[in-house]
Amino acid sequence: MKLGAVIITMGNRPDELRALLDSVAAQHGDRIEVVVVGNGAPVPQVPAGVRTVELPQNLGIPGGRNVGIEAFGPSGADVDALLFLDDDGLLPKRDTAELCRQAFAADPELGIVTFRITDPETGATQRRHVPRLRAADPMRSSRVTTFLGGANAVRTKVIAEVGPLPEAFFYAHEETDLAWRALDAGWMIDYRADLVLHHPTTAPSRHAVYHRMVARNRVWLARRNLPAPLIPLYLGAWLLLTLARRPSAPALKAWLGGFGEGWSTPCGPRRPMKWRTVWRLTRLGRPPVI
């Protein structure tokens, strides 16, 4: 199985990027071809053999990754699967790529593998990085209903069948949008605790646009993918959860503004999932109402 890797960068972490590239090059098995996309910024110096694409403007996370996908041919067709890795991440084990190959080869229905993210200093995994409701034990591998954007491998047949990441999202929930479309097409997603990406512990709210885009994209996600009766249930549940977390006044104002924007702006094509997919999500432990 031929693997490629897509890494997007803003050009502001050259040392971390070089360490990540070295860890990819050190993987056992066949060489992994790498494309680094400068998302509205020049790409720092990279080792020989690493391809680069420099975009004139920041297209956001999904837009930048989609450019990286197309660098491997239409829908990434030149390779069998693509690793998507954050530019400040690191693969500490040399068998990660080989384990991905084995996972895809062993299960023809497996479309996406999501890694366990750990802090390089403490070894801890943040709860938000375990993509299921029962997240207390990050060491337990399982089938899941979404995946982690900067620590995963995706079979390129999935992208060819269901389409790329939703570029308009720019930041937040683009992975769940792709995951739901993949599950609706019959693919499965695995969280693998033995596939590790080191990444410094961070808070997503460090991004200035976090609260607005999380709310806006949550509405877009529902409008694009859910059967009509589930849309108010899903968004009502997230509204209550957000209020229960008692965000600061500025954060709540931004969130409510994004929530309204999600209703008043185009969300892209609507392709509601089948009810059997709703049941599959429910059996996997995450019904699409939360």
Side-chain angles (χ1 to χ4, degrees):
M1 173 169 281
K2 188 174 183 181
L3 296 182
V6 173
I7 301 165
I8 58 174
T9 183
M10 299 294 291
N12 55 351
R13 293 190 280 237
D15 294 338
E16 292 90 340
L17 174 62
R18 182 57 185 257
L20 171 62
L21 292 171
D22 289 345
S23 74
V24 173
Q27 293 296 300
H28 296 315
D30 294 340
R31 177 179 174 271
I32 301 171
E33 186 177 352
V34 180
V35 170
V36 178
V37 178
N39 213 354
V43 176
Q45 186 174 2
V46 297
V50 174
R51 289 192 288 157
T52 62
V53 179
E54 293 187 352
L55 303 178
Q57 63 182 21
N58 183 356
L59 299 182
I61 293 173
R65 287 188 177 137
N66 286 344
V67 169
I69 291 169
E70 294 301 308
F72 289 93
S75 300
D78 294 345
V79 294
D80 299 300
L82 285 168
L83 307 177
F84 295 92
L85 305 170
D86 278 349
D87 67 341
D88 55 345
L90 181 81
L91 298 175
K93 300 180 180 180
R94 300 183 66 182
D95 63 349
T96 300
E98 192 60 29
L99 289 172
C100 285
R101 293 187 185 99
Q102 292 172 10
F104 286 127
D107 185 353
E109 293 185 343
L110 181 62
I112 302 171
V113 177
T114 185
F115 305 167
R116 179 167 59 92
I117 296 178
T118 67
D119 184 274
E121 299 295 330
T122 66
T125 296
Q126 291 181 273
R127 187 179 181 89
R128 68 186 182 91
H129 285 153
V130 183
R132 57 178 179 242
L133 290 179
R134 297 175 180 174
D137 182 8
M139 299 303 296
R140 179 173 66 88
S141 299
S142 68
R143 294 281 202 203
V144 289
T145 62
T146 188
F147 63 99
L148 307 173
N152 67 79
V154 179
R155 201 189 290 262
T156 52
K157 286 183 179 179
V158 173
I159 300 166
E161 184 173 353
V162 307
L165 295 158
E167 294 192 11
F169 279 41
F170 197 85
Y171 167 80
H173 302 320
E174 68 273 3
E175 301 92 354
T176 300
D177 187 89
L178 178 60
W180 282 1
R181 286 183 280 130
L183 288 163
D184 197 47
W187 297 99
M188 301 302 292
I189 306 169
D190 277 358
Y191 167 74
R192 287 281 297 266
D194 57 334
L195 303 180
V196 177
L197 181 88
H198 278 176
H199 189 282
T201 297
T202 56
S205 55
R206 70 190 185 279
H207 299 292
V209 296
Y210 170 78
H211 296 287
R212 179 177 69 85
M213 287 193 174
V214 161
R216 182 198 67 183
N217 293 357
R218 182 80 69 185
V219 177
W220 281 357
L221 179 68
R223 290 174 59 199
R224 286 164 57 92
N225 295 287
L226 290 182
L230 294 185
I231 293 175
L233 295 176
Y234 178 79
L235 295 177
W238 277 104
L239 175 60
L240 292 175
L241 281 170
T242 299
L243 294 174
R245 290 169 177 169
R246 302 179 67 181
S248 67
L252 181 59
K253 181 179 180 181
W255 194 95
L256 292 173
F259 193 81
E261 183 182 347
W263 286 106
S264 63
T265 54
C267 64
R270 172 166 164 76
R271 299 187 181 95
M273 66 178 65
K274 308 173 190 71
W275 283 103
R276 68 185 181 192
T277 304
V278 173
W279 176 237
R280 173 185 284 187
L281 289 163
T282 302
R283 286 190 292 110
L284 290 171
R286 189 146 197 170
V289 293
I290 189 170

